[in-house]
Amino acid sequence: MIRIALLSGACALAFASAASAETVAITNAKIETVAAAGTIASGTIVLTDGKITAVGANVSVPSGARVIDAKGGVVTPGLIAPSSNLAASEIGGVRETRDDGSGTEMSAGFDISYSINPDSPVIGLARDGGVTSAAVTPTLSGGGGGAHRDDGDIELENLKDMTAGRAGDGDPRLFTGQAALIRLAAGDDDIVTKAKVAVALDLGQAGARAAGGSRGAAIVLVKSAFEDARAYARNRSAFEKGATRDFGLSRIDLDALVPVVEGKTPLLVRVRRASDIRQIIKLAAEEKVKIILEGAEEGWIVAADIAKAGVPVIVDTQADLPDSFETLGARLDNAARLQAAGVAVAITGSRDFNNLRLQRLNAGLAVANGMPYQAALASVTAVPAKMWGMSSVGTLEVGKDADVVLWNGDPLETTTWPTAVFVGGYQQPTDFRGSKLRDRYARPAGAYPRAY
Amino acid sequence: MSSLMRAALAATMLTGLAIAGTSSASAQAAKPAAKPAEKVEHKPLPAGLDPTTGPAPFPSTYKALPGRPTAIVGATVLTATGQQIENGVVFFSGGKIISVGGPETPVPADVAVIDGKGKWVTPGVIDAHSHLGVYPSPGVQARSDGNEITDPNTAQVWSEHSVWPHDPGFNRARAGGVTTLQILPGSANLFGGRSVTLKNIPSHTMQGMKFPGAPYGVKMACGENPKRVYGGRSRAPSTAMGNVAGYRAAWINAADYKRKWDDYRAKVAKNEKADAPKRDLQLETLMGVLNGEILVQNHCYRGDEMAVMLDIGKEFGYRTTMFHHAVEAYKVGDLLAKDDVCFATWASWTGFKMESLDGIDANAAIAHKAGACTVIHSDDPIMTQRLNQEAALAMTAGNRIGMNIPRAEAIAWITSNPAKALGIADKTGSLVAGKAADVVLWTADPFSVYAQAEKVFIDGGLAYDRRDPQYQPKSDFELGQPGEGAFHQ
């Protein structure tokens, strides 16, 4: 095992140095800048030392640059997964590989950045779908990974996972922990670009269960936790001396909540029902807390309220089923309606890495259901970048990081794929575990088994 | 049979024996021979004790929606028989396809004509693996009726008895072009029970949706689910080998049960004395497989496990009709092709459990090229709405490595191939004269992310129209709820 780890480390280093200090010009491309320049019908983009140094219709290719003829293909910013378990959870059904939940011992203090595995084989798979950055977010229910209904007792297992607190101790273990941002650069042994970017909170049905019974209980516990965090922040030394009243959360949990109550770090809130969205918007205003909504299947019902509050939303555009009593109003045009109302909408595949690949298709689905094409492109690039404060990525503009994808057609279409993916100016390897399996079995077997 | 009748019958038989004995006494003395069988006159078994007589239980009451003779002209037509026809004509009447062809195809003057210019036409989509109705929306424990997780062998349960016809998921699936679904029980058990095939029209009874003449399937499950569920309860099976022992034991019992019924019938035919075996619903399902009447629908992810299951079929003389979730079909495409076994899979789902770890998006394409009967299924109330796109992803993954799979071939993965695997290919699944007019008019190339089913016809009746709210049915559950069952503009 150690030998293999060393070997792969050596390969990664070799790859990084071989590709460094390269200037690349992608020519003859339809460039979707997702910025003020809009769509450049045919142009050139130049990547130098990891940055975008030129983009436009009449850009000359620098001498010595490696030229990639896009042949009319489409160039976009690298896609950004707005909320995922990427690199923190491997196989949904294998508990040992799931590191995106804290279990019962921690609440807001759980820091998912320590769970990240830069050698996860699913990173290659995600990149093969054009994803170059992701927000990795903890959840109450752990890494699902596309578990479906025809699956024995997986549902019961998930119910057990939902039990977020120790029975009877009254601790509000609602908060699922702190999110991190990652960048999917091969050969980088630390892909976390920023930790503690948000504290996640599951409300609605899941939150009610975690709170011990009801939505009302969950909201009271959240307010109580905010009060405690403020009291703790006001007088840490008294807390250290044991001279404060009892707090419902531990010191590490309170530490994580302080920047939230100070309005510096957003709270990522998972809600689905319209009434729950109203409650959290009201609570955020009262508590002066910044929030991002995830889910919001009934968001269209309260789109004006969300827009007025300036709250960004992460949606899965496929969600059109009344699959629970909190999504009775789920609709395929939820994203389009929210966007039309002025809400910043980020589109997700799902939080599970294998369905993460559906992100771009979900943006296509939003277009099919009324969202303007440019808004849909932004919902998987510029909007999640802005939402998470990733100012150096998300658009194709001079000075931004060279996180760039070249597609052989419309990036939102089923029949296209990325032909070149750049992260920080480095062209990324295109092979990953799945492509190696594919190539092994796509050819006829010889006299020897394929394992040779 | 009452005890009085039994006594009377026994008396008659004794009398007969006495007479026979007297008349043949001399012959017996000369040449001792096997005692001739007692001749009896059999009465039909009482209602419910003979599985092969009387009305089939829970008969279909399906009635096609009203329809009128209709021609769709000018669209690109995928027939699911390998043809892509530009500027085509699809004409149906009386619930059946009458003619399919190029622009020269004659259409009677007095029929409804739909301008399909710029649009596409395909057969109705068939989802070969659905739990709509048995795991309906909303997904609460009180309606969680898809998995009889009480014994490794529950071949006696029938999914049709769990179907809640008001599941809003049926409406969503129809808007995705799904006209026929196989509803399976879940995969917790080695034998999960019988499947039922439904026509996707709104009905307030399951029987009202039941596909007339469709054979039953039996759900079998390989792999992790049965051993996790029962191993977790410290009972068999808890391992892969425990699974196989469980299948074999069940097939031995089924073969024995079949022998008893076969013997009984043979004796009845010869008017010999015979006692009917007592009906056993569990063994009856498995005997139906051995008799070739019930199709084996086997949840099985891994290639090596599929190979073992095929050998079990050979040991007991049954055929597997289709492997479901077969994410490793690409490793055993040759085996599947040789035994003419279909496999159903996804394009984009992989790695959510250990046995799905090697799932790749080119799975379907590679096994298709190896000659296997390929099906794209959903197992999911969301994906079932976009099986066309899932097929597109699978096709594209093959074309990415130079396979050049045309749309005319790939459309079979969600239409004619699942029809074959459900035993209904003679009735639906392709645009062929004489088959059911299960037809979808798409707004664009159905392999595009932007394509939507615009009109869906089932047996020639307009079941869904994206542009006309009158043909966007709402289930009973959805009335008076937020959104009222409307899920798109």
Side-chain angles (χ1 to χ4, degrees):
Chain A
M1 287 305 279
I2 288 168
R3 198 174 65 90
I4 291 167
L6 284 173
L7 257 175
S8 66
C11 290
L13 278 176
F15 176 80
S17 56
S20 63
E22 191 183 34
T23 296
V24 176
I26 305 173
T27 62
N28 192 20
K30 179 180 179 183
I31 302 172
E32 296 285 3
T33 65
V34 203
T39 304
I40 297 160
S42 182
T44 295
I45 183 166
V46 181
L47 320 178
T48 311
D49 295 333
K51 300 283 181 191
I52 296 168
T53 49
V55 55
N58 300 302
V59 167
S60 52
V61 174
S63 63
R66 178 161 72 94
V67 177
I68 298 174
D69 182 354
K71 295 172 184 157
V74 180
V75 172
T76 68
L79 307 189
I80 299 168
S83 181
S84 75
N85 60 20
L86 193 63
S89 182
E90 200 73 25
I91 305 167
V94 179
R95 185 63 54 93
E96 297 89 326
T97 70
R98 288 165 52 174
D99 290 310
D100 64 336
S102 73
T104 57
E105 296 306 312
M106 246 187 287
S107 182
F110 169 60
D111 184 345
I112 204 167
S113 70
Y114 298 116
S115 295
I116 303 295
N117 173 18
D119 298 322
S120 167
V122 298
I123 290 176
L125 179 64
R127 232 172 12 225
D128 191 54
V131 177
T132 56
S133 296
V136 189
T137 57
T139 176
L140 279 181
S141 53
H148 48 97
R149 286 173 163 182
D150 185 14
D151 230 7
D153 58 354
I154 268 189
E155 282 173 291
L156 295 176
E157 277 186 35
N158 281 343
L159 284 182
K160 274 182 240 152
D161 288 343
M162 294 288 193
T163 310
R166 286 175 301 211
D169 67 1
D171 284 357
R173 295 187 192 280
L174 288 170
F175 301 96
T176 64
Q178 300 169 91
L181 304 177
I182 60 170
R183 195 176 191 194
L184 309 186
D188 188 346
D189 59 10
D190 183 10
I191 60 173
V192 176
T193 52
K194 199 173 177 198
K196 303 181 181 181
V197 294
V199 170
L201 169 67
D202 292 13
L203 285 180
Q205 230 166 257
R209 194 181 297 138
S214 70
R215 287 169 160 82
I219 297 285
V220 169
L221 286 176
V222 169
K223 289 168 80 81
S224 166
F226 286 168
E227 254 173 56
D228 287 0
R230 289 198 176 94
Y232 165 78
R234 277 194 302 271
N235 202 342
R236 283 178 206 245
S237 60
F239 179 87
E240 295 298 342
K241 285 181 270 182
T244 57
R245 63 177 169 84
D246 283 348
F247 293 137
L249 289 167
S250 69
R251 184 187 55 77
I252 48 174
D253 293 331
L254 292 168
D255 268 330
L257 282 178
V258 168
V260 172
V261 296
E262 288 175 347
K264 292 174 185 160
T265 297
L267 195 63
L268 174 69
V269 190
R270 300 195 174 98
V271 280
R272 313 181 79 186
R273 198 168 80 182
S275 69
D276 290 333
I277 295 171
R278 288 192 195 99
Q279 288 293 349
I280 191 64
I281 287 176
K282 189 160 163 263
L283 183 138
E286 285 168 6
E287 300 280 344
K288 297 185 173 55
V289 166
K290 280 199 293 188
I291 55 171
I292 296 169
L293 300 182
E294 180 174 1
E297 281 85 346
E298 291 191 349
W300 62 274
I301 298 173
V302 287
D305 298 325
I306 301 172
K308 193 171 156 224
V311 172
V313 176
I314 300 167
V315 297
D316 175 352
T317 57
Q318 295 189 25
D320 68 344
L321 276 169
D323 60 358
S324 71
F325 276 90
E326 55 185 357
T327 59
L328 294 173
R331 296 177 65 99
L332 286 169
D333 50 10
N334 187 34
R337 286 168 181 248
L338 286 166
Q339 193 269 338
V343 177
V345 176
I347 291 177
T348 183
S350 78
R351 64 174 283 100
D352 308 313
F353 62 83
N354 54 310
N355 291 333
L356 193 71
R357 290 186 293 169
L358 298 180
Q359 183 190 22
R360 65 190 182 94
L361 303 177
N362 283 0
L365 183 64
V367 174
N369 285 282
M371 193 184 230
Y373 184 84
Q374 287 299 321
L377 262 188
S379 74
V380 293
T381 54
V383 173
K386 190 169 179 222
M387 176 182 284
W388 289 117
M390 304 159 89
S391 55
S392 64
V393 295
T395 59
L396 301 181
E397 293 172 282
V398 171
K400 293 261 177 151
D401 289 351
D403 288 9
V404 174
V405 182
L406 170 60
W407 308 80
N408 63 343
D410 178 354
L412 308 187
E413 185 57 279
T414 48
T415 46
T416 54
W417 59 85
T419 53
V421 177
F422 292 83
V423 177
Y426 293 121
Q427 187 165 354
Q428 300 296 303
T430 55
D431 60 335
F432 57 100
R433 191 167 176 277
S435 68
K436 287 172 189 283
L437 275 166
R438 176 194 68 195
D439 295 344
R440 171 174 277 191
Y441 284 92
R443 290 185 298 269
Y448 265 59
R450 286 186 167 96
Y452 293 91
Chain B
M1 191 183 288
S2 71
S3 56
L4 197 67
M5 279 170 67
R6 274 185 206 282
L9 192 60
T12 314
M13 289 194 297
L14 279 172
T15 314
L17 185 66
I19 295 163
T22 312
S23 62
S24 61
S26 58
Q28 272 181 8
K31 193 182 88 180
K35 199 167 67 174
E38 301 162 34
K39 293 287 178 190
V40 293
E41 191 178 327
H42 285 276
K43 291 183 179 169
L45 291 173
L49 286 187
D50 189 331
T52 60
T53 61
F58 326 105
S60 170
T61 57
Y62 170 80
K63 266 180 63 186
L65 297 168
R68 54 180 177 160
T70 302
I72 306 174
V73 299
T76 302
V77 180
L78 296 173
T79 61
T81 58
Q83 272 187 294
Q84 175 171 328
I85 305 168
E86 305 301 331
N87 193 14
V89 171
V90 177
F91 173 52
F92 49 90
S93 178
K96 303 283 184 202
I97 306 275
I98 305 296
S99 53
V100 177
E104 72 290 348
T105 308
V107 173
D110 55 344
V111 304
V113 174
I114 296 170
D115 180 7
K117 194 158 180 282
K119 300 174 184 176
W120 290 57
V121 177
T122 69
V125 175
I126 299 176
D127 192 346
H129 193 119
S130 175
H131 299 294
L132 289 179
V134 303
Y135 278 125
S137 297
V140 294
Q141 188 59 40
R143 286 261 161 77
S144 178
D145 289 323
N147 245 332
E148 181 63 35
I149 314 184
T150 50
D151 194 84
N153 185 350
T154 59
Q156 69 274 17
V157 306
W158 298 17
S159 66
E160 65 195 64
H161 301 138
S162 278
V163 168
W164 180 48
H166 299 293
D167 181 355
F170 288 118
N171 297 335
R172 308 296 187 275
R174 194 180 311 108
V178 175
T179 55
T180 299
L181 317 106
Q182 176 173 233
I183 311 300
L184 289 148
S187 52
N189 304 341
L190 301 175
F191 296 89
R194 288 194 196 195
S195 67
V196 65
T197 297
L198 302 178
K199 284 270 188 181
N200 194 13
I201 62 158
S203 173
H204 58 283
T205 65
M206 169 277 296
Q207 291 90 331
M209 303 174 77
K210 204 167 171 179
F211 194 118
Y216 283 108
V218 64
K219 170 72 169 286
M220 292 179 68
C222 292
E224 294 178 12
N225 292 2
K227 67 181 188 138
R228 184 183 64 240
V229 169
Y230 294 100
R233 299 173 190 178
S234 295
R235 59 177 291 198
S238 72
T239 59
M241 58 190 173
N243 284 353
V244 172
Y247 309 128
R248 297 175 80 201
W251 289 120
I252 289 167
N253 285 337
D256 190 51
Y257 184 65
K258 173 175 156 56
R259 180 182 59 81
K260 284 177 182 155
W261 274 104
D262 288 350
D263 284 355
Y264 168 73
R265 304 235 185 265
K267 285 181 177 162
V268 169
K270 289 190 276 185
N271 292 323
E272 290 173 5
K273 183 187 173 191
D275 203 10
K278 184 183 172 191
R279 276 182 81 183
D280 180 312
L281 291 177
Q282 184 180 92
L283 293 171
E284 215 168 85
T285 294
L286 301 185
M287 180 172 72
V289 173
L290 298 178
N291 287 337
E293 295 154 2
I294 294 179
L295 311 179
V296 171
Q297 307 288 349
N298 193 348
H299 160 128
C300 210
Y301 282 80
R302 274 169 32 196
D304 58 328
E305 292 198 318
M306 288 183 244
V308 169
M309 295 311 294
L310 290 176
D311 280 353
I312 294 171
K314 281 163 193 157
E315 181 181 8
F316 293 98
Y318 74 86
R319 267 194 80 244
T320 298
T321 299
M322 182 153 78
F323 289 113
H324 294 238
H325 314 339
V327 298
E328 290 190 10
Y330 67 100
K331 298 186 183 181
V332 291
D334 53 343
L335 290 183
L336 300 175
K338 188 166 138 263
D339 283 6
D340 191 24
V341 180
C342 294
F343 74 97
T345 190
W346 313 273
S348 54
W349 283 11
T350 171
F352 47 89
K353 57 203 293 202
M354 202 61 199
E355 62 191 355
S356 77
L357 187 60
D358 284 5
I360 59 171
D361 53 8
N363 177 38
I366 293 172
H368 166 77
K369 281 288 176 189
C373 161
T374 301
V375 171
I376 301 294
H377 68 354
S378 81
D379 187 20
D380 181 73
I382 293 286
M383 190 190 286
T384 195
Q385 304 176 41
R386 274 171 292 282
L387 279 175
N388 55 315
Q389 291 181 21
E390 197 68 11
L393 295 173
M395 176 187 77
T396 301
N399 292 345
R400 187 172 174 176
I401 51 172
M403 287 183 162
N404 297 317
I405 299 167
R407 284 159 171 72
E409 265 178 47
I411 194 67
W413 300 349
I414 55 169
T415 55
S416 53
N417 286 359
K420 177 187 170 186
L422 268 50
I424 51 174
D426 56 331
K427 300 179 176 71
T428 187
S430 51
L431 299 179
V432 171
K435 292 199 185 176
D438 296 342
V439 178
V440 183
L441 175 67
W442 303 88
T443 55
D445 169 8
F447 290 84
S448 165
V449 76
Y450 306 114
Q452 290 169 323
E454 185 175 311
K455 286 182 165 61
V456 179
F457 297 90
I458 301 178
D459 284 305
L462 182 60
Y464 167 79
D465 189 333
R466 169 165 284 272
R467 316 231 183 270
D468 187 347
Q470 193 189 329
Y471 296 98
Q472 295 167 9
K474 323 284 187 239
S475 81
D476 286 2
F477 175 77
E478 292 171 301
L479 298 180
Q481 301 279 19
E484 285 265 353
F487 57 98
H488 63 72
Q489 278 184 316

